[in-house]
């Protein structure tokens, strides 16, 4: 290997070590509680500025981690969408939303930190909207959102939006709790990620098809 090739390989290895350390620390302690110095040390880097050198800001590091996982999930989602085709069954499209996430987390092994890290990203006001916007630009997720919108065309748009946000939180937090249970060995015995996906599918179909109490946004009554 040439000197240039060796430098590129070392740089790639360092980036991977930093992302792995950051994902674990952020998952365990939250985004705001962890400094770049702590991440550099956990990644085995003697240079405490390694994070800023390789990624720039904390937001850039968070984005890099989420993009790497997001692309892998979307590849699985694209396969599920192809299998569903032009199905008019809501559950098929809910499955396309849920299964790629559970399959990806199952492939990570135990312990993993991605689901718990995703919760931290989802609940951080700085990262939440940016990451969500990037995710919606991925072709697999875009196709699923379109499929769900067509199946839920009878719901008022604001109800669809609110229930979509609920679905995102339910998937993220449920997966994080299972990941935590697997890591500390308190997860249900013999339960699998596939079982979790089944339960999420049932819950989300119920969520999307529940009756609407207020079909239109409330407006302030005139005095």
């Amino acid at each position: 290997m040439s000197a240039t090739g060796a430098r590129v390989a070392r740089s790639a290895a360092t980036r991977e070590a930093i992302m792995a350390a950051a994902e674990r620390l952020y998952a365990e302690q939250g985004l705001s509680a962890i400094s770049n110095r702590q991440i550099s040390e956990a990644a085995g880097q003697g240079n405490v500025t390694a994070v800023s050198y390789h990624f720039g800001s904390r937001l850039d590091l968070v984005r890099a981690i989420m993009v790497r996982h997001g692309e892998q999930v979307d590849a699985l989602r694209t396969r599920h969408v192809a299998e569903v085709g032009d199905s008019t069954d809501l559950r098929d499209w809910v499955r396309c939303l849920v299964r790629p996430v559970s399959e990806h987390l199952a492939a990570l092994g135990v312990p993993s930190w991605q689901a718990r890290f995703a919760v931290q990203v989802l609940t951080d006001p700085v990262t939440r909207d940016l990451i969500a916007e990037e995710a919606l630009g991925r072709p697999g997720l875009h196709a699923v959102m379109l499929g769900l919108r067509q199946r839920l065309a009878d719901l008022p748009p604001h109800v669809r939006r609110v229930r979509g946000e609920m679905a995102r939180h339910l998937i993220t937090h449920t997966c994080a709790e299972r990941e935590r249970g697997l890591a500390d060995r308190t997860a249900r015995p013999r339960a699998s990620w596939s079982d979790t996906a089944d339960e999420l599918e049932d819950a989300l179909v119920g969520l999307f098809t529940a009756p609407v109490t207020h079909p239109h946004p409330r407006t302030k009554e005139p005095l």
Side-chain angles (χ1 to χ4, degrees):
M1 180 183 295
S2 67
T4 300
R7 283 196 301 272
V8 171
R10 285 196 300 271
S11 178
T14 299
R15 285 176 61 87
E16 285 297 317
I18 289 172
M19 285 195 289
E23 185 175 37
R24 175 176 60 82
L25 291 173
Y26 285 150
E28 293 175 340
Q29 301 181 48
L31 301 184
S32 61
I34 299 299
S35 67
N36 286 354
R37 176 186 290 271
Q38 289 172 293
I39 295 171
S40 294
E41 291 173 350
Q45 302 302 307
N47 185 351
V48 295
T49 64
V51 173
S52 58
Y53 175 81
H54 286 277
F55 291 95
S57 68
R58 182 192 71 166
L59 185 58
D60 292 326
L61 173 57
V62 169
R63 182 190 291 111
I65 297 169
M66 290 300 291
V67 165
R68 181 179 64 177
H69 287 287
E71 289 176 346
Q72 294 173 12
V73 170
D74 209 59
L76 295 170
R77 185 167 281 127
T78 299
R79 188 197 75 208
H80 280 274
V81 169
E83 293 172 355
V84 165
D86 57 357
S87 172
T88 59
D89 187 343
L90 173 63
R91 182 174 288 272
D92 285 341
W93 291 98
V94 169
R95 185 172 298 117
C96 289
L97 188 65
V98 172
R99 288 283 168 177
V101 178
S102 64
E103 290 173 5
H104 176 63
L105 291 170
L108 294 177
V110 179
S112 64
W113 291 273
Q114 166 55 21
R116 287 170 286 173
F117 170 71
V119 166
Q120 300 294 345
V121 172
L122 183 63
T123 54
D124 186 286
V126 176
T127 59
R128 178 184 61 231
D129 293 340
L130 175 64
I131 298 302
E133 183 179 344
E134 289 186 347
L136 288 173
R138 297 193 181 101
L141 183 57
H142 178 77
V144 172
M145 299 309 291
L146 179 60
L148 287 172
R149 192 178 304 123
Q150 292 171 342
R151 305 289 82 74
L152 301 171
D154 291 338
L155 284 179
H158 76 281
V159 174
R160 258 198 331 264
R161 182 176 63 254
V162 169
R163 293 188 181 182
E165 293 170 356
M166 290 178 179
R168 180 174 63 171
H169 283 278
L170 182 60
I171 294 170
T172 306
H173 285 274
T174 299
C175 288
E177 285 304 308
R178 170 159 177 79
E179 184 182 66
R180 181 179 292 107
L182 288 171
D184 61 22
R185 301 188 179 187
T186 60
R188 291 173 297 164
R190 293 183 297 280
S192 67
W193 277 110
S194 182
D195 295 328
T196 300
D198 287 340
E199 292 159 358
L200 281 169
E201 284 180 27
D202 291 341
L204 291 177
V205 169
L207 171 64
F208 287 131
T209 58
V212 180
T213 304
H214 300 288
H216 302 289
R218 293 182 180 182
T219 57
K220 187 176 181 179
E221 296 292 335
L223 296 177

